[in-house]
Amino acid sequence: MDDHVGVEVWVREYGMTTARQDELWRRWRAGEPISVIARTLEMPLQHVQRFLAQTGGVRQSPPRRRVQHLTMAEREEISRGVARGCSAREIAALLGRSPSTIAREIARNGGRTNYRAAAADERAYQRARRPKPAKLARSPLLRALVEEKLAVCWSPEQIAGWLRRLFPADPAMRISHEAIYLTLFDPRRKKAIDRTLWRKLRSGRRMRHPKRPRRPDGRGMISDLVSISERPPEVEDRLVAGHWEGDLVRHEALFDRAEVRDLRRCAVAAA
């Protein structure tokens, strides 16, 4: 299921090499503050902020081909085999590929009469490009439903679950919560949704922030925490105040009416 939109947006690198960009993204995913990243990379703070803002805090994977895919050299061999009149099975045996792979390759690129290796390789590259057209961009009804719920402060998780219940038999009318977040955060997906709806998110953020790991200084944890297994023996006797607790709330049915009136009168006087 493709939940992205192909929008060509030039990403400014701010003088960073590929290695430094990799380091920036590694530290960003680890939850380091932007100020720390800027000092570590010896870059101006504004450059780091703008670099992340133009991507929405979402890194796009560099284009690459899987090793299972046909190479240009293999497509040239297919082209020569087709010209000689070889069958798909014969070409597959020569290349060590499945006959069905060769047959599909020839069929999707013009058949035996029009197959050309260079054109087939270019089409394969275009099909593999990311991001692909977004689901929200392809379905106006789905986009309208998502935008309607975001406008009334529904979370993407709520929207995704609601759509699954509303359209249980129609996968085309469902979308994952992660796809909604990416569409809102990434400027490269600006044609798929009204990106101003990020203001309706409960986090109030306009870009993706990684989950921060537990802080090494221990903030957010109970100081000097003692396990219940280490409590002293005298706790079991319940003779010292503070070593036991009880329910001090009693229902009015346990009191007679006079006691209830007295309690209410005292409560009013205290107020």
Side-chain angles (χ1 to χ4, degrees):
M1 185 181 295
D2 297 325
D3 293 330
H4 308 293
V5 61
V7 180
E8 294 294 336
V9 177
W10 179 68
V11 177
R12 184 177 175 183
E13 298 178 347
Y14 290 94
M16 286 188 292
T17 62
T18 303
R20 296 188 79 185
Q21 291 182 41
D22 291 342
E23 181 66 12
L24 185 152
W25 284 115
R26 186 188 68 79
R27 293 178 177 276
W28 176 248
R29 286 195 300 268
E32 289 190 11
I34 295 179
S35 58
V36 175
I37 297 175
R39 283 198 303 270
T40 304
L41 298 180
E42 298 180 347
M43 291 181 58
L45 177 62
Q46 297 85 348
H47 286 186
V48 177
Q49 290 173 330
R50 292 169 184 169
F51 177 83
L52 291 171
Q54 69 182 340
T55 62
V58 180
R59 185 182 190 181
Q60 292 293 332
S61 301
R64 60 181 180 273
R65 296 194 181 188
R66 298 178 62 183
V67 295
Q68 297 92 334
H69 291 177
L70 292 170
T71 64
M72 181 63 183
E74 288 177 317
R75 288 190 168 95
E76 289 175 347
E77 287 295 334
I78 294 173
S79 181
R80 285 191 284 268
V82 169
R84 293 195 302 267
C86 298
S87 66
R89 189 172 297 276
E90 292 173 333
I91 300 173
L94 177 64
L95 297 177
R97 293 279 188 171
S98 169
S100 61
T101 299
I102 305 303
R104 287 195 301 268
E105 169 67 14
I106 296 172
R108 73 164 65 100
N109 290 288
R112 287 182 168 272
T113 56
N114 297 313
Y115 186 85
R116 299 293 183 273
D121 195 69
E122 177 61 25
R123 291 192 194 101
Y125 175 76
Q126 294 297 333
R127 286 194 299 268
R129 293 185 67 183
R130 296 294 187 273
K132 284 186 174 293
K135 197 168 191 181
L136 292 179
R138 298 195 308 266
S139 176
L141 177 58
L142 180 60
R143 172 179 176 170
L145 290 173
V146 171
E147 290 181 340
E148 176 186 347
K149 294 304 180 183
L150 285 173
V152 293
C153 299
W154 278 35
S155 70
E157 289 85 354
Q158 287 177 307
I159 297 172
W162 174 70
L163 288 171
R164 283 195 297 271
R165 293 191 298 273
L166 190 63
F167 303 100
D170 189 1
M173 289 301 297
R174 299 200 296 265
I175 188 172
S176 68
H177 68 276
E178 179 67 13
I180 299 175
Y181 277 118
L182 288 177
T183 308
L184 284 172
F185 290 143
D186 194 345
R188 290 161 288 192
R189 298 171 171 87
K190 61 184 177 181
K191 293 185 179 180
I193 199 172
D194 179 8
R195 292 190 63 246
T196 61
L197 290 171
W198 64 264
R199 298 187 179 91
K200 299 295 185 177
L201 295 176
R202 294 167 189 175
S203 65
R205 293 174 176 168
R206 63 182 307 169
M207 64 183 295
R208 164 61 55 83
H209 283 251
K211 292 184 178 180
R212 299 188 182 275
R214 187 185 297 275
R215 297 182 178 182
D217 57 5
R219 281 185 287 175
M221 300 175 60
I222 299 177
S223 301
D224 302 323
L225 181 66
V226 179
S227 173
I228 192 172
S229 62
E230 301 176 11
R231 59 187 178 181
E234 58 266 21
V235 173
E236 302 297 336
D237 299 331
R238 303 178 66 183
L239 299 177
V240 180
H243 285 167
W244 57 276
E245 61 183 20
D247 190 358
L248 302 180
V249 179
R250 296 179 62 185
H251 195 273
E252 287 189 0
L254 301 178
F255 295 86
D256 58 31
R257 293 183 179 179
E259 289 177 322
V260 171
R261 285 196 299 271
D262 292 339
L263 288 172
R264 287 177 177 171
R265 191 179 300 111
C266 292
V268 172

Coordinates of all heavy atoms in Angstrom, one line a residue, residues 18-49:
T18 N 27.8 13.7 2.6 CA 26.9 12.6 2.8 C 27.2 11.9 4.2 O 26.3 11.6 4.9 CB 27.0 11.5 1.7 OG1 26.8 12.1 0.5 CG2 26.1 10.3 2.0
A19 N 28.5 11.9 4.6 CA 28.8 11.3 5.9 C 28.3 12.1 7.0 O 27.8 11.6 8.0 CB 30.3 11.1 6.0
R20 N 28.4 13.4 6.9 CA 27.9 14.3 8.0 C 26.4 14.3 8.0 O 25.8 14.4 9.1 CB 28.4 15.7 7.7 CG 29.9 15.9 7.8 CD 30.3 17.4 7.7 NE 30.1 18.0 9.0 CZ 30.3 19.3 9.2 NH1 30.7 20.1 8.2 NH2 30.2 19.8 10.4
Q21 N 25.7 14.1 6.9 CA 24.3 14.0 6.9 C 23.9 12.7 7.6 O 22.9 12.7 8.4 CB 23.7 14.0 5.5 CG 23.8 15.4 4.8 CD 23.2 15.4 3.4 OE1 22.1 14.8 3.2 NE2 23.8 16.0 2.5
D22 N 24.6 11.6 7.3 CA 24.3 10.4 8.0 C 24.5 10.5 9.5 O 23.7 10.0 10.3 CB 25.3 9.3 7.5 CG 24.9 8.9 6.1 OD1 23.8 9.2 5.6 OD2 25.8 8.3 5.4
E23 N 25.5 11.2 9.9 CA 25.8 11.4 11.4 C 24.7 12.3 12.0 O 24.2 12.0 13.1 CB 27.1 12.1 11.6 CG 27.5 12.3 13.0 CD 27.7 11.1 13.8 OE1 27.8 10.0 13.2 OE2 27.8 11.1 15.1
L24 N 24.2 13.3 11.3 CA 23.2 14.2 11.8 C 21.9 13.3 12.0 O 21.2 13.4 13.0 CB 22.9 15.3 10.8 CG 21.9 16.4 11.2 CD1 22.2 17.7 10.5 CD2 20.4 16.0 10.8
W25 N 21.5 12.5 11.0 CA 20.3 11.7 11.1 C 20.5 10.7 12.2 O 19.5 10.4 13.0 CB 20.0 11.0 9.8 CG 19.4 11.9 8.8 CD1 19.9 12.3 7.6 CD2 18.1 12.6 8.9 NE1 19.1 13.2 6.9 CE2 18.0 13.4 7.7 CE3 17.1 12.6 9.8 CZ2 16.9 14.1 7.4 CZ3 16.0 13.4 9.6 CH2 15.9 14.1 8.4
R26 N 21.7 10.1 12.4 CA 21.9 9.1 13.5 C 21.6 9.8 14.8 O 20.9 9.2 15.7 CB 23.3 8.6 13.4 CG 23.5 7.4 14.4 CD 25.0 7.0 14.4 NE 25.8 8.0 14.9 CZ 26.0 8.3 16.2 NH1 25.3 7.6 17.1 NH2 26.8 9.3 16.7
R27 N 22.2 11.0 15.0 CA 22.0 11.7 16.3 C 20.6 12.1 16.5 O 20.1 12.1 17.6 CB 23.0 12.8 16.4 CG 24.5 12.4 16.5 CD 25.4 13.6 16.5 NE 26.8 13.1 16.6 CZ 27.4 12.8 17.8 NH1 26.7 13.0 18.9 NH2 28.6 12.4 17.9
W28 N 19.9 12.5 15.4 CA 18.6 13.0 15.5 C 17.6 11.8 15.9 O 16.8 12.0 16.8 CB 18.1 13.6 14.2 CG 16.7 14.0 14.1 CD1 15.7 13.4 13.3 CD2 16.1 15.1 14.8 NE1 14.5 14.1 13.5 CE2 14.7 15.1 14.3 CE3 16.5 16.0 15.7 CZ2 13.8 16.0 14.8 CZ3 15.6 17.0 16.1 CH2 14.3 17.0 15.7
R29 N 17.8 10.7 15.3 CA 17.0 9.5 15.7 C 17.3 9.0 17.1 O 16.5 8.5 17.8 CB 17.3 8.3 14.7 CG 16.7 8.5 13.4 CD 16.6 7.2 12.6 NE 18.0 6.7 12.4 CZ 18.7 6.9 11.4 NH1 18.3 7.7 10.4 NH2 19.9 6.4 11.3
A30 N 18.6 9.3 17.6 CA 18.9 8.9 19.0 C 18.3 9.9 20.0 O 18.4 9.7 21.2 CB 20.4 8.9 19.2
G31 N 17.7 11.0 19.6 CA 17.0 11.9 20.5 C 17.9 13.0 21.0 O 17.5 13.7 22.0
E32 N 19.0 13.3 20.3 CA 19.9 14.4 20.8 C 19.2 15.7 20.5 O 18.6 15.9 19.4 CB 21.3 14.3 20.2 CG 22.1 13.2 20.7 CD 23.6 13.3 20.2 OE1 23.9 14.3 19.6 OE2 24.3 12.3 20.3
P33 N 19.4 16.7 21.3 CA 18.8 18.1 21.0 C 19.6 18.7 19.8 O 20.7 18.3 19.5 CB 19.1 18.9 22.3 CG 19.3 17.9 23.4 CD 19.9 16.7 22.7
I34 N 18.9 19.5 19.1 CA 19.5 20.2 17.9 C 20.7 21.0 18.3 O 21.7 21.0 17.5 CB 18.4 21.1 17.2 CG1 17.3 20.2 16.7 CG2 19.0 21.8 16.1 CD1 16.2 21.0 16.0
S35 N 20.7 21.6 19.4 CA 21.9 22.4 19.8 C 23.1 21.5 20.0 O 24.2 21.9 19.6 CB 21.6 23.2 21.1 OG 21.2 22.3 22.2
V36 N 22.9 20.3 20.6 CA 24.0 19.4 20.8 C 24.5 18.9 19.4 O 25.7 18.7 19.2 CB 23.6 18.2 21.7 CG1 24.7 17.2 21.8 CG2 23.2 18.7 23.0
I37 N 23.6 18.6 18.5 CA 24.0 18.1 17.2 C 24.8 19.2 16.4 O 25.8 18.9 15.8 CB 22.7 17.7 16.4 CG1 22.0 16.6 17.0 CG2 23.1 17.4 14.9 CD1 20.7 16.2 16.3
A38 N 24.4 20.4 16.5 CA 25.1 21.5 15.9 C 26.5 21.7 16.4 O 27.4 21.8 15.7 CB 24.3 22.8 16.0
R39 N 26.6 21.6 17.7 CA 28.0 21.7 18.3 C 28.9 20.5 17.9 O 30.1 20.7 17.6 CB 27.9 21.8 19.9 CG 27.4 23.1 20.4 CD 27.8 23.3 21.9 NE 27.2 22.2 22.6 CZ 26.0 22.3 23.2 NH1 25.2 23.4 23.0 NH2 25.5 21.3 23.9
T40 N 28.3 19.3 17.9 CA 29.1 18.1 17.6 C 29.6 18.2 16.1 O 30.7 17.9 15.8 CB 28.3 16.9 17.8 OG1 27.8 16.9 19.2 CG2 29.1 15.6 17.6
L41 N 28.7 18.6 15.2 CA 29.1 18.7 13.8 C 29.7 20.0 13.4 O 30.1 20.2 12.3 CB 27.8 18.5 13.0 CG 27.1 17.2 13.1 CD1 25.8 17.1 12.2 CD2 28.0 16.0 12.8
E42 N 29.9 20.9 14.4 CA 30.5 22.2 14.2 C 29.8 22.9 13.1 O 30.4 23.5 12.1 CB 32.0 22.0 13.9 CG 32.8 21.4 15.0 CD 34.3 21.2 14.7 OE1 34.6 21.3 13.5 OE2 35.1 20.9 15.6
M43 N 28.5 23.0 13.2 CA 27.7 23.7 12.2 C 26.8 24.8 12.9 O 26.6 24.6 14.1 CB 26.7 22.7 11.5 CG 27.4 21.7 10.6 SD 26.1 20.7 9.9 CE 25.0 21.9 9.1
P44 N 26.5 25.8 12.2 CA 25.6 26.8 12.8 C 24.2 26.2 13.2 O 23.7 25.3 12.5 CB 25.4 27.9 11.7 CG 26.6 27.7 10.8 CD 26.9 26.2 10.9
L45 N 23.7 26.6 14.3 CA 22.4 26.0 14.8 C 21.3 26.2 13.8 O 20.5 25.3 13.6 CB 22.1 26.6 16.1 CG 20.7 26.2 16.8 CD1 20.7 24.7 17.1 CD2 20.4 27.0 18.0
Q46 N 21.3 27.4 13.2 CA 20.2 27.7 12.2 C 20.3 26.7 11.0 O 19.3 26.3 10.5 CB 20.3 29.1 11.7 CG 20.1 30.2 12.8 CD 21.4 30.5 13.5 OE1 22.4 29.8 13.4 NE2 21.4 31.6 14.3
H47 N 21.5 26.3 10.6 CA 21.6 25.4 9.5 C 21.0 24.0 9.8 O 20.3 23.4 9.0 CB 23.1 25.3 9.0 CG 23.6 26.5 8.3 ND1 24.8 26.5 7.7 CD2 23.0 27.7 8.1 CE1 25.0 27.7 7.2 NE2 23.9 28.4 7.4
V48 N 21.3 23.5 11.0 CA 20.7 22.2 11.4 C 19.2 22.3 11.5 O 18.5 21.4 11.0 CB 21.3 21.8 12.7 CG1 20.7 20.5 13.2 CG2 22.8 21.6 12.6
Q49 N 18.7 23.4 12.1 CA 17.3 23.6 12.2 C 16.6 23.6 10.8 O 15.6 23.0 10.6 CB 17.0 24.9 13.0 CG 17.3 24.8 14.5 CD 17.2 26.1 15.2 OE1 17.3 27.2 14.5 NE2 16.8 26.1 16.4

